[in-house]
Amino acid sequence: MQATPPRRYSFVDHPDHESRLAEHAQVWIDNAMSTAPADQVAMRSAMEGLYGSADLPAPPPHREVFVRSPLTAHIAGGVAAGVWWLRRNPGRHVELFGRSLSEADLMAAIPVACGVAVGRGMAALEGRATDAATRAATRAATGAATRAATGAATDAATGAATSDATSDATSDATRAATYAATDAATRAATRAATGAATRAATRAATSDATSDATDAATGAATSDATSDATYAATDAATSDATYDATYDATYDATVVGVLVNFLLRCTDLAWRMHDGGSDWSAWPSYLSFFDRVAGLGLPIYEKWRHYEQAALNGASRIMHADFWIVADRQTSVRVDTERRLHCEDGPARTWGDGWAVWYWHGVRVPRDLIETGWSADRILQEPNTEIRRCAIERVGWDRYITEAELSLVDTKPDPANAPHVVRLYDVPRRIYGEHVRVVLMTNGSPDRNGELRVYGETVPPDIDDAVAAVAWQYGLDGATYSRLQRRT
């Protein structure tokens, strides 16, 4: 006799659960948008529980580190993981750096690596050229967090280097080693706490109603934005491939300079140890629903609740076998009516140690676009289409056309987007240094608030027809363009 398949969970059978759904989701929405600092007492307990759930010893109290932002946690965690790996793998030093490293070498490289990562990272988020200047307080805080995580007792400077180990000669080995340094076994700590049993049971029970509700209200403003900012900052720290010795002439081409490159690569891989905490509130809100509201009663929930408490009491965290780092939540967050990050006169999101991001209706933009504005020339020179559109929206199309001295070449009804029109403008050669034109269009798909955006794109100067300019932008061939033209 064929077994009857298990009955799927349904709100039809549990209307009392459905009636509590909105209240439950709101708790996690408020958690994601909160500006309260991490609750250090609650986080210490949750972190101890997470390590215990994975049958791993928790790091000692002096390597339990609290910082003011997820970006500082990410940089400090990556550098610290690299230091601990090098301590445990002295046999790899000669291969990677040309000689054995001392503890003094490691301690000398920490502040330099943190300074480079902070300086380049902030430059990337602010949309300015990288230079040697950093925000001293943030750089110092990151270095202090790293030293705490590595158990450093001294900031001793390095002795004279004896080898000129170039990054070209060691790049493959260094890359492999940095992966090993950040491939922390403690990823199992959070996986063990939420495990396959929980996922399978809850996924089979119902759709992601709670997760969807929370994510719709917070995702773009917290989880997505933090990941975007962190990856942009750490990628900028390693994008030049090598540490620029001119950043700190003290270390010139010494082995410490090569070591700094190694540690910077580790920051780019720290996501291997990362969990988003309150920034990732959508997923725990979903899992928590079946424990707290539906009363599913799985044995795994005893472990899961450590994860839940960590998500409720702090933002991003880095978990490593030798240390952990927990970040505070944002100190401010501003969004538009669609819950997208947005602020017209300052950063849309800030953290307590100086990190910040600037957004225009959900698009991360350079700081000066928001705080000082761009000229028409600067706008047209921006290569990123979305940022250019945001810049023009901030100025206003009418003002922009006037200030940029664009002259109208042609205007026609948009054959694919009635009743709107498309307008083709000539752009003065001085703006791009070459002759181009701009076609002004209305987006065919409305935003979630129902508004239709007007935006412009550059096209070749030999296009004289506004509809042909639109066709060129969409990559349409001549036959398709002809069909569109006959409809005008």
Side-chain angles (χ1 to χ4, degrees), residues 175-200:
R175 189 175 300 108
T178 54
Y179 269 97
T182 56
D183 192 14
T186 46
R187 282 188 293 167
T190 55
R191 290 187 177 180
T194 59
T198 307
R199 288 195 297 273

Side-chain angles (χ1 to χ4, degrees), residues 164-422:
D164 183 15
T166 66
S167 59
D168 287 343
T170 62
S171 60
D172 290 341
T174 301
R175 189 175 300 108
T178 54
Y179 269 97
T182 56
D183 192 14
T186 46
R187 282 188 293 167
T190 55
R191 290 187 177 180
T194 59
T198 307
R199 288 195 297 273
T202 55
R203 284 285 183 188
T206 187
S207 66
D208 289 355
T210 54
S211 177
D212 289 348
T214 308
D215 196 49
T218 67
T222 57
S223 174
D224 295 347
T226 302
S227 296
D228 173 68
T230 302
Y231 295 150
T234 54
D235 181 66
T238 56
S239 62
D240 293 340
T242 57
Y243 157 63
D244 182 358
T246 61
Y247 185 90
D248 192 330
T250 303
Y251 300 109
D252 195 27
T254 67
V255 69
V256 174
V258 183
L259 174 56
V260 168
N261 292 333
F262 175 92
L263 298 178
L264 288 175
R265 290 191 179 102
C266 288
T267 68
D268 208 32
L269 297 170
W271 57 267
R272 291 164 170 256
M273 307 175 289
H274 170 257
D275 186 278
S278 61
D279 284 341
W280 291 1
S281 286
W283 175 239
S285 77
Y286 166 64
L287 294 178
S288 181
F289 176 84
F290 292 97
D291 178 22
R292 302 295 185 177
V293 178
L296 195 58
L298 296 176
I300 196 70
Y301 281 143
E302 183 180 353
K303 295 181 177 181
W304 144 252
R305 287 176 180 172
H306 299 303
Y307 185 97
E308 178 190 48
Q309 289 306 303
L312 284 169
N313 289 287
S316 293
R317 58 185 180 272
I318 297 290
M319 297 183 68
H320 186 275
D322 296 290
F323 64 89
W324 56 251
I325 303 175
V326 170
D328 285 344
R329 301 175 180 89
Q330 64 267 341
T331 51
S332 69
V333 56
R334 298 178 67 178
V335 297
D336 61 16
T337 57
E338 297 181 47
R339 308 295 289 177
R340 299 173 299 187
L341 281 174
H342 176 73
C343 182
E344 297 185 4
D345 55 7
R349 201 170 184 216
T350 61
W351 290 271
D353 55 5
W355 290 100
V357 286
W358 290 260
Y359 274 77
W360 182 270
H361 295 299
V363 177
R364 186 165 59 83
V365 298
R367 178 180 184 175
D368 62 345
L369 169 58
I370 296 296
E371 297 191 353
T372 61
W374 286 356
S375 68
D377 287 14
R378 171 65 181 87
I379 291 172
L380 263 178
Q381 291 171 29
E382 170 57 47
N384 184 288
T385 300
E386 277 293 282
I387 294 177
R388 190 166 65 241
R389 174 186 59 76
C390 293
I392 296 172
E393 283 183 5
R394 187 179 183 278
V395 171
W397 270 103
D398 291 340
R399 175 183 166 188
Y400 169 73
I401 289 170
T402 300
E403 291 186 358
E405 299 176 349
L406 307 186
S407 56
L408 184 64
V409 174
D410 186 42
T411 181
K412 281 189 172 68
D414 188 337
N417 191 21
H420 303 290
V421 299
V422 289

Side-chain angles (χ1 to χ4, degrees), residues 380 404-407 426-436:
L380 263 178
E405 299 176 349
L406 307 186
S407 56
D426 208 33
V427 178
R429 186 180 298 273
R430 62 180 170 79
I431 293 180
Y432 269 109
E434 58 181 340
H435 189 196
V436 299

Side-chain angles (χ1 to χ4, degrees), residues 94 129 353 471-472:
V94 174
D353 55 5
W472 183 90

Side-chain angles (χ1 to χ4, degrees), residues 385 388-389 392-393 397 401 408 410-417 419-425 437-445 452-459 465-476 484:
T385 300
R388 190 166 65 241
R389 174 186 59 76
I392 296 172
E393 283 183 5
W397 270 103
I401 289 170
L408 184 64
D410 186 42
T411 181
K412 281 189 172 68
D414 188 337
N417 191 21
H420 303 290
V421 299
V422 289
R423 290 177 285 169
L424 182 64
Y425 290 90
R437 285 178 171 165
V438 168
V439 60
L440 197 62
M441 303 168 277
T442 301
N443 194 7
S445 301
L452 289 172
R453 295 184 184 179
V454 176
Y455 65 102
E457 295 287 355
T458 56
V459 298
D465 184 280
V467 173
V470 176
W472 183 90
Q473 265 296 320
Y474 284 104
L476 301 179
L484 289 175

Side-chain angles (χ1 to χ4, degrees), residues 49-87:
L50 284 171
Y51 279 91
S53 295
D55 296 323
L56 294 169
H62 66 279
R63 293 202 297 271
E64 299 173 351
V65 184
F66 288 92
V67 296
R68 301 297 304 278
S69 74
L71 291 100
T72 291
H74 200 96
I75 293 171
V79 172
V83 169
W84 277 106
W85 188 87
L86 289 169
R87 283 173 171 167

